[in-house]
Amino acid sequence: MRRFAAKILGPGALAFPTWAYAVFFFVVPVALVLFYSFGYKPDEFTTVATDRLSLERYAESMTGSFLATFAATLRISVLGTILCLLISVPFAYWLAVKVPANRRGVLLAIVMVPFWTNFLVRTLGWQIILSPDGFLSDGLQQLGLLSGPLNILYTRAAVQIGVVYNYLPLMILPLFVAMDSAGQALREASYDLGAGRLSTFFRITMPLAMPGVASGCLLVFIPLTGDYVTATVLGGANGSMIGQIIANQFNTAQNWALGAAMAVVLILVTLAVVAVAAAVLWLGRLITARLTRVQLEGI
Amino acid sequence: MAYGKKRANTTNALFTLWGVLVFAFLFTPIAVIVVYSFNSGRVLAAWKGFGFNAYVNAINNDIIVSSVITSLQAAVGSALLATVLGTLGGIALARARRGAWWAAGLTGILALTLVTPEIVDGIAFLPWFVTLGVDAGIGPFNNGLVRLIVSHAMFSVAVVTFIIRARMAGIDRSLEEAAADLGASPWHAFKDITLPLAAPGVLAGGLMSFTLSLDNTILSSFVQQPGYTPWPVYIFSSVRVALRPEVAAMSTVMLVLTLVALGVVGLVLRKSGESSTAIIKTMAGS
């Protein structure tokens, strides 16, 4: 009896409410979206019907403007992820290795402040900065660096700045954690054994930080691909992202079947990009591992 | 040697410069919003002069005030819900036997919720709430606040669960076993030993879910009901019309309040004897 109670009250039972919640409010509704994507829109006033299932909505979604927007979205999100990574690696390294340990906590807290400010409000800050009659534009013109008003707001460049800005803390944090938690002793050993700074960075610090790089890229790339708020605020008519097209199917066109099919395409493409990136990384690691082994054997 | 040292100094200076530049990049838009909240003009981006009108107008604007209240209510509600569910889930996962099917399944589903684009959550919840509330007639799901709380908690649960799991994984299980050996009932061992050990993680998780909920725009815009428009959705809708300095003023007030709340949480964690880096890491959920 006691054993039975322990089994019922064991960790599995403790997890039951979380399980139930995740199934009822995530698995079921997302499965429903998948189901709707095989349906159709019967008439003007009905959002979806599923009595006849087909792949027609997927074919219908593959229009020129959908594909063009999708390509533009991927360009922005892939470039945004790479830029975040390039900005964050030296920064996280500086924070985790160069800054004295007693000041690290304060600086890390300061990095987190933007993260705790509403991201839409921060984006509005960029709208003011980049505005053609804003202070930056006026200042640059007075300095003679610019002949006309700043012409960047409502372009793809503004969207790119905005997304890099908004998702940067999500890249810095995992990188910092990965660089901070391990490696100091190994780095010192590497120096003692005569390795230079660059060699130590690329052969000790970066390999150890790879899990941080991977989770940072995921944390930036996936939400960025689905985001359309930043792009709407800073890109205006030029900032249409794939998320906006999907949202329009639900809000304006009231065509849930088509919107659902587009959302499924979005998920599949996002996962495909992640898989390709992971494969490239894995291959790269394999090749470098092989090269260094050969080198060691040569000695 | 002297040359090497000089070169090291140069690289260090370059690193510090990069650090300063990144900080400037991170804070410029926030500083701009704070400064422009004192714009006495009618349009946010066009500076007309210094004044506190925006603050007065914001407080007297019923739509702004009610949207902020809705947001705060949704944030508190979803933080509580996500914290309870996430704490249970996180402790369970940290205590799971290796290879337990339910643990693998739960980790998988929660990881999926983290990597699902928000727009997909939004379009998934919209029909689901209609199904539950209108078709199945479960009244609470027609309430705007319930919808916000339930949907926001959905994606915070994963964050809280993983924070608690990380926290509990680093803690020796023998304390709970000792309590059981000394005759404590499972409930008492849980309440007196496990929960206090998990407390910093619980606090961090709750804080994370609170801010995630306050920030949420896309999901909220799908599940919102008339009368329950949260603050970010209000801002997003006014972006398309014309932005007034009131938005910046209210945002500045909320920024100050958030910083105060964070400071308090930091102090509480410091009292519990954590190092400052560990505190930030816990609060950031890593």
Side-chain angles (χ1 to χ4, degrees):
Chain A
M1 189 59 211
R2 216 183 138 80
R3 179 160 292 194
F4 178 74
K7 197 160 191 173
I8 290 295
L9 294 171
L14 214 53
F16 179 74
T18 320
W19 243 111
Y21 195 84
V23 168
F24 196 68
F25 289 117
F26 178 72
V27 176
V28 174
V30 171
L32 218 55
V33 167
L34 187 64
F35 180 57
Y36 287 157
S37 74
F38 300 118
Y40 62 100
K41 181 174 172 64
D43 56 70
E44 208 182 319
F45 302 105
T46 319
T47 50
V48 65
T50 46
D51 50 299
R52 203 157 37 74
L53 298 181
S54 69
L55 289 170
E56 281 163 27
R57 295 297 83 65
Y58 287 91
E60 192 186 334
S61 69
M62 295 298 155
T63 59
S65 69
F66 178 81
L67 293 177
T69 312
F70 214 136
T73 305
L74 281 180
R75 220 168 22 239
I76 284 179
S77 61
V78 169
L79 185 59
T81 310
I82 294 172
L83 286 174
C84 279
L85 189 65
L86 291 180
I87 296 174
S88 302
V89 166
F91 183 78
Y93 181 73
W94 172 71
L95 202 57
V97 180
K98 302 278 182 190
V99 169
N102 57 346
R103 268 191 285 158
R104 216 168 278 160
V106 180
L107 289 181
L108 194 60
I110 297 176
V111 173
M112 295 305 295
V113 167
F115 188 69
W116 278 310
T117 332
N118 189 294
F119 92 99
L120 192 48
V121 172
R122 286 180 282 148
T123 313
L124 293 181
W126 278 110
Q127 204 187 38
I128 298 176
I129 296 171
L130 300 176
S131 147
D133 39 33
F135 65 90
L136 182 67
S137 175
D138 291 350
L140 287 177
Q141 285 179 76
Q142 268 163 19
L143 288 173
L145 293 169
L146 214 66
S147 52
L150 190 64
N151 218 340
I152 200 170
L153 189 63
Y154 304 130
T155 64
R156 291 241 174 244
V159 176
Q160 195 70 63
I161 295 176
V163 293
V164 167
Y165 174 81
N166 271 340
Y167 292 92
L168 192 59
L170 290 175
M171 182 67 90
I172 292 177
L173 211 70
L175 274 179
F176 169 80
V177 172
M179 287 179 174
D180 181 61
S181 55
Q184 195 50 46
L186 282 173
R187 270 191 288 272
E188 275 161 23
S190 167
Y191 291 136
D192 288 348
L193 291 170
R197 288 165 171 280
L198 274 181
S199 171
T200 305
F201 179 79
F202 283 109
R203 290 169 74 174
I204 306 289
T205 311
M206 275 321 277
L208 282 174
M210 277 326 273
V213 172
S215 59
C217 287
L218 281 182
L219 281 175
V220 170
F221 176 71
I222 291 174
L224 205 170
T225 309
D227 181 16
Y228 58 87
V229 172
T230 314
T232 307
V233 175
L234 294 175
N238 291 316
S240 91
M241 298 276 273
I242 199 68
Q244 181 71 65
I245 292 190
I246 298 174
N248 285 347
Q249 290 305 322
F250 279 78
N251 294 334
T252 329
Q254 295 284 324
N255 189 343
W256 290 6
L258 184 57
M262 289 172 166
V264 174
V265 173
L266 168 67
I267 297 177
L268 291 179
V269 171
T270 312
L271 290 181
V273 173
V274 170
V276 168
V280 168
L281 261 169
W282 179 78
L283 256 175
R285 264 226 298 260
L286 209 70
I287 291 168
T288 40
R290 178 135 319 159
L291 286 178
T292 38
R293 190 179 311 147
V294 169
Q295 215 173 16
L296 285 176
E297 279 164 359
I299 295 164
Chain B
M1 192 67 209
Y3 172 69
K5 189 142 202 168
K6 199 168 183 183
R7 206 172 56 174
N9 279 340
T10 321
T11 29
N12 280 349
L14 281 178
F15 268 115
T16 312
L17 178 68
W18 189 251
V20 172
L21 283 178
V22 172
F23 273 122
F25 179 61
L26 285 174
F27 279 90
T28 309
I30 297 177
V32 166
I33 284 291
V34 172
V35 169
Y36 274 73
S37 71
F38 296 106
N39 182 4
S40 61
R42 297 299 302 153
V43 180
L44 175 62
W47 181 265
K48 286 278 184 278
F50 182 90
F52 293 94
N53 325 19
Y55 286 87
V56 178
N57 293 342
I59 303 264
N60 290 325
N61 185 326
D62 288 340
I63 303 175
I64 290 183
V65 171
S66 81
S67 73
V68 168
I69 290 174
T70 301
S71 263
L72 290 174
Q73 285 170 330
V76 170
S78 65
L80 285 176
L81 184 58
T83 308
V84 171
L85 291 170
T87 304
L88 291 176
I91 291 176
L93 282 183
R95 297 285 174 261
R97 243 173 269 110
R98 274 184 79 85
W101 63 270
W102 59 264
L106 186 59
T107 312
I109 295 177
L110 292 181
L112 268 184
T113 67
L114 283 184
V115 299
T116 307
E118 210 183 312
I119 172 79
V120 175
D121 294 332
I123 62 168
F125 266 115
L126 175 68
W128 186 231
F129 280 141
V130 173
T131 308
L132 289 176
V134 181
D135 301 344
I138 309 172
F141 289 111
N142 293 325
N143 179 294
L145 197 57
V146 171
R147 286 186 173 198
L148 288 173
I149 290 175
V150 166
S151 59
H152 289 180
M154 191 280 299
F155 61 78
S156 318
V157 163
V159 176
V160 183
T161 304
F162 291 143
I163 293 178
I164 303 281
R165 185 185 62 175
R167 166 91 197 161
M168 294 313 284
I171 284 170
D172 199 347
R173 219 193 147 159
S174 54
L175 283 170
E176 285 155 49
E177 281 162 4
D181 288 348
L182 291 169
S185 68
W187 163 242
H188 269 100
F190 181 78
K191 180 175 69 97
D192 295 336
I193 308 291
T194 314
L195 265 190
L197 285 174
V202 175
L203 197 58
L207 199 71
M208 256 337 245
S209 354
F210 185 82
T211 40
L212 281 175
S213 168
L214 271 190
D215 235 19
N216 187 288
T217 314
I218 296 179
L219 183 51
S220 305
S221 71
F222 274 96
V223 301
Q224 65 155 339
Q225 290 279 79
Y228 289 99
T229 301
W231 173 235
V233 177
Y234 169 80
I235 304 178
F236 192 45
S237 62
S238 54
V239 165
R240 296 161 200 227
V241 195
L243 277 169
R244 304 210 158 176
E246 282 94 305
V247 169
M250 192 48 98
S251 302
T252 307
V253 171
M254 288 180 80
L255 171 64
V256 172
L257 290 180
T258 314
L259 290 182
V260 170
L262 286 175
V264 171
V265 173
L267 275 182
V268 171
L269 285 177
R270 175 160 285 194
K271 271 209 159 156
S272 74
E274 306 267 322
S275 86
S276 54
T277 317
I279 292 174
I280 308 290
K281 277 196 203 164
T282 326
M283 281 161 69
S286 304

mmCIF file of all heavy atoms in Angstrom, chain A residues 202-223:
data_model
loop_
_atom_site.group_PDB
_atom_site.id
_atom_site.type_symbol
_atom_site.label_atom_id
_atom_site.label_comp_id
_atom_site.label_asym_id
_atom_site.label_seq_id
_atom_site.Cartn_x
_atom_site.Cartn_y
_atom_site.Cartn_z
ATOM 1 N N PHE A 202 40.411 30.190 -30.045
ATOM 2 C CA PHE A 202 39.730 29.340 -31.013
ATOM 3 C C PHE A 202 39.765 27.866 -30.648
ATOM 4 O O PHE A 202 38.960 27.087 -31.128
ATOM 5 C CB PHE A 202 40.324 29.551 -32.417
ATOM 6 C CG PHE A 202 39.834 30.819 -33.040
ATOM 7 C CD1 PHE A 202 40.672 31.909 -33.210
ATOM 8 C CD2 PHE A 202 38.502 30.949 -33.414
ATOM 9 C CE1 PHE A 202 40.205 33.089 -33.772
ATOM 10 C CE2 PHE A 202 38.027 32.121 -33.970
ATOM 11 C CZ PHE A 202 38.879 33.198 -34.146
ATOM 12 N N ARG A 203 40.732 27.464 -29.787
ATOM 13 C CA ARG A 203 40.820 26.025 -29.498
ATOM 14 C C ARG A 203 40.316 25.670 -28.112
ATOM 15 O O ARG A 203 40.073 24.497 -27.835
ATOM 16 C CB ARG A 203 42.250 25.554 -29.709
ATOM 17 C CG ARG A 203 42.564 25.591 -31.212
ATOM 18 C CD ARG A 203 43.991 25.401 -31.500
ATOM 19 N NE ARG A 203 44.409 24.015 -31.309
ATOM 20 C CZ ARG A 203 45.631 23.596 -31.631
ATOM 21 N NH1 ARG A 203 46.506 24.441 -32.118
ATOM 22 N NH2 ARG A 203 45.955 22.358 -31.443
ATOM 23 N N ILE A 204 40.183 26.644 -27.230
ATOM 24 C CA ILE A 204 39.658 26.346 -25.890
ATOM 25 C C ILE A 204 38.312 27.056 -25.680
ATOM 26 O O ILE A 204 37.275 26.429 -25.480
ATOM 27 C CB ILE A 204 40.630 26.806 -24.770
ATOM 28 C CG1 ILE A 204 42.017 26.217 -24.986
ATOM 29 C CG2 ILE A 204 40.067 26.472 -23.408
ATOM 30 C CD1 ILE A 204 42.103 24.729 -24.723
ATOM 31 N N THR A 205 38.328 28.392 -25.758
ATOM 32 C CA THR A 205 37.135 29.156 -25.383
ATOM 33 C C THR A 205 35.962 28.869 -26.310
ATOM 34 O O THR A 205 34.870 28.548 -25.847
ATOM 35 C CB THR A 205 37.464 30.660 -25.395
ATOM 36 O OG1 THR A 205 38.666 30.857 -24.651
ATOM 37 C CG2 THR A 205 36.354 31.454 -24.751
ATOM 38 N N MET A 206 36.180 28.981 -27.621
ATOM 39 C CA MET A 206 35.051 28.797 -28.542
ATOM 40 C C MET A 206 34.476 27.385 -28.516
ATOM 41 O O MET A 206 33.263 27.234 -28.446
ATOM 42 C CB MET A 206 35.451 29.200 -29.972
ATOM 43 C CG MET A 206 35.300 30.688 -30.261
ATOM 44 S SD MET A 206 33.850 31.461 -29.529
ATOM 45 C CE MET A 206 32.601 31.045 -30.745
ATOM 46 N N PRO A 207 35.310 26.324 -28.557
ATOM 47 C CA PRO A 207 34.702 24.979 -28.471
ATOM 48 C C PRO A 207 33.880 24.805 -27.199
ATOM 49 O O PRO A 207 32.803 24.221 -27.226
ATOM 50 C CB PRO A 207 35.913 24.046 -28.483
ATOM 51 C CG PRO A 207 36.972 24.806 -29.184
ATOM 52 C CD PRO A 207 36.745 26.248 -28.815
ATOM 53 N N LEU A 208 34.374 25.359 -26.071
ATOM 54 C CA LEU A 208 33.611 25.233 -24.827
ATOM 55 C C LEU A 208 32.321 26.032 -24.895
ATOM 56 O O LEU A 208 31.330 25.691 -24.251
ATOM 57 C CB LEU A 208 34.449 25.718 -23.637
ATOM 58 C CG LEU A 208 35.501 24.752 -23.132
ATOM 59 C CD1 LEU A 208 36.332 25.420 -22.052
ATOM 60 C CD2 LEU A 208 34.858 23.490 -22.602
ATOM 61 N N ALA A 209 32.339 27.122 -25.659
ATOM 62 C CA ALA A 209 31.159 27.987 -25.715
ATOM 63 C C ALA A 209 30.143 27.511 -26.747
ATOM 64 O O ALA A 209 29.073 28.104 -26.874
ATOM 65 C CB ALA A 209 31.585 29.421 -26.025
ATOM 66 N N MET A 210 30.454 26.434 -27.492
ATOM 67 C CA MET A 210 29.557 26.006 -28.565
ATOM 68 C C MET A 210 28.113 25.756 -28.108
ATOM 69 O O MET A 210 27.181 26.142 -28.819
ATOM 70 C CB MET A 210 30.115 24.762 -29.279
ATOM 71 C CG MET A 210 31.137 25.077 -30.354
ATOM 72 S SD MET A 210 30.869 26.591 -31.255
ATOM 73 C CE MET A 210 29.781 26.013 -32.532
ATOM 74 N N PRO A 211 27.875 25.113 -26.948
ATOM 75 C CA PRO A 211 26.478 24.954 -26.529
ATOM 76 C C PRO A 211 25.775 26.305 -26.374
ATOM 77 O O PRO A 211 24.610 26.451 -26.743
ATOM 78 C CB PRO A 211 26.580 24.241 -25.174
ATOM 79 C CG PRO A 211 27.920 23.641 -25.142
ATOM 80 C CD PRO A 211 28.808 24.473 -26.013
ATOM 81 N N GLY A 212 26.504 27.308 -25.878
ATOM 82 C CA GLY A 212 25.938 28.643 -25.749
ATOM 83 C C GLY A 212 25.635 29.252 -27.108
ATOM 84 O O GLY A 212 24.600 29.887 -27.300
ATOM 85 N N VAL A 213 26.553 29.045 -28.067
ATOM 86 C CA VAL A 213 26.323 29.549 -29.422
ATOM 87 C C VAL A 213 25.062 28.916 -29.995
ATOM 88 O O VAL A 213 24.193 29.597 -30.556
ATOM 89 C CB VAL A 213 27.534 29.240 -30.337
ATOM 90 C CG1 VAL A 213 27.231 29.588 -31.782
ATOM 91 C CG2 VAL A 213 28.763 29.994 -29.859
ATOM 92 N N ALA A 214 24.944 27.602 -29.814
ATOM 93 C CA ALA A 214 23.790 26.897 -30.380
ATOM 94 C C ALA A 214 22.494 27.399 -29.760
ATOM 95 O O ALA A 214 21.544 27.737 -30.477
ATOM 96 C CB ALA A 214 23.939 25.391 -30.161
ATOM 97 N N SER A 215 22.436 27.491 -28.421
ATOM 98 C CA SER A 215 21.160 27.896 -27.826
ATOM 99 C C SER A 215 20.881 29.367 -28.107
ATOM 100 O O SER A 215 19.730 29.761 -28.314
ATOM 101 C CB SER A 215 21.112 27.581 -26.324
ATOM 102 O OG SER A 215 22.136 28.241 -25.650
ATOM 103 N N GLY A 216 21.935 30.193 -28.168
ATOM 104 C CA GLY A 216 21.729 31.595 -28.507
ATOM 105 C C GLY A 216 21.144 31.753 -29.902
ATOM 106 O O GLY A 216 20.201 32.506 -30.117
ATOM 107 N N CYS A 217 21.688 30.997 -30.866
ATOM 108 C CA CYS A 217 21.182 31.097 -32.236
ATOM 109 C C CYS A 217 19.722 30.650 -32.319
ATOM 110 O O CYS A 217 18.913 31.265 -33.014
ATOM 111 C CB CYS A 217 22.044 30.255 -33.179
ATOM 112 S SG CYS A 217 23.656 30.989 -33.480
ATOM 113 N N LEU A 218 19.387 29.588 -31.586
ATOM 114 C CA LEU A 218 17.992 29.134 -31.583
ATOM 115 C C LEU A 218 17.088 30.194 -30.982
ATOM 116 O O LEU A 218 16.017 30.503 -31.520
ATOM 117 C CB LEU A 218 17.851 27.850 -30.752
ATOM 118 C CG LEU A 218 18.276 26.553 -31.412
ATOM 119 C CD1 LEU A 218 18.023 25.382 -30.472
ATOM 120 C CD2 LEU A 218 17.479 26.345 -32.688
ATOM 121 N N LEU A 219 17.530 30.762 -29.838
ATOM 122 C CA LEU A 219 16.717 31.756 -29.131
ATOM 123 C C LEU A 219 16.501 33.001 -29.970
ATOM 124 O O LEU A 219 15.505 33.698 -29.816
ATOM 125 C CB LEU A 219 17.390 32.154 -27.813
ATOM 126 C CG LEU A 219 17.236 31.201 -26.652
ATOM 127 C CD1 LEU A 219 18.042 31.668 -25.459
ATOM 128 C CD2 LEU A 219 15.774 31.072 -26.285
ATOM 129 N N VAL A 220 17.445 33.307 -30.860
ATOM 130 C CA VAL A 220 17.300 34.493 -31.704
ATOM 131 C C VAL A 220 16.552 34.151 -32.991
ATOM 132 O O VAL A 220 15.589 34.805 -33.356
ATOM 133 C CB VAL A 220 18.685 35.099 -32.032
ATOM 134 C CG1 VAL A 220 18.563 36.176 -33.090
ATOM 135 C CG2 VAL A 220 19.306 35.673 -30.770
ATOM 136 N N PHE A 221 16.986 33.075 -33.660
ATOM 137 C CA PHE A 221 16.477 32.805 -35.003
ATOM 138 C C PHE A 221 14.983 32.473 -35.019
ATOM 139 O O PHE A 221 14.234 33.013 -35.842
ATOM 140 C CB PHE A 221 17.269 31.659 -35.644
ATOM 141 C CG PHE A 221 16.752 31.268 -36.983
ATOM 142 C CD1 PHE A 221 16.928 32.097 -38.074
ATOM 143 C CD2 PHE A 221 16.050 30.079 -37.157
ATOM 144 C CE1 PHE A 221 16.423 31.753 -39.319
ATOM 145 C CE2 PHE A 221 15.546 29.735 -38.399
ATOM 146 C CZ PHE A 221 15.737 30.569 -39.475
ATOM 147 N N ILE A 222 14.546 31.618 -34.113
ATOM 148 C CA ILE A 222 13.160 31.149 -34.198
ATOM 149 C C ILE A 222 12.145 32.256 -33.914
ATOM 150 O O ILE A 222 11.257 32.500 -34.733
ATOM 151 C CB ILE A 222 12.956 29.911 -33.311
ATOM 152 C CG1 ILE A 222 13.722 28.761 -33.946
ATOM 153 C CG2 ILE A 222 11.478 29.559 -33.188
ATOM 154 C CD1 ILE A 222 13.751 27.521 -33.136
ATOM 155 N N PRO A 223 12.257 32.970 -32.781
ATOM 156 C CA PRO A 223 11.270 34.057 -32.592
ATOM 157 C C PRO A 223 11.404 35.153 -33.635
ATOM 158 O O PRO A 223 10.405 35.730 -34.049
ATOM 159 C CB PRO A 223 11.554 34.587 -31.187
ATOM 160 C CG PRO A 223 12.797 33.967 -30.734
ATOM 161 C CD PRO A 223 13.144 32.825 -31.624
#
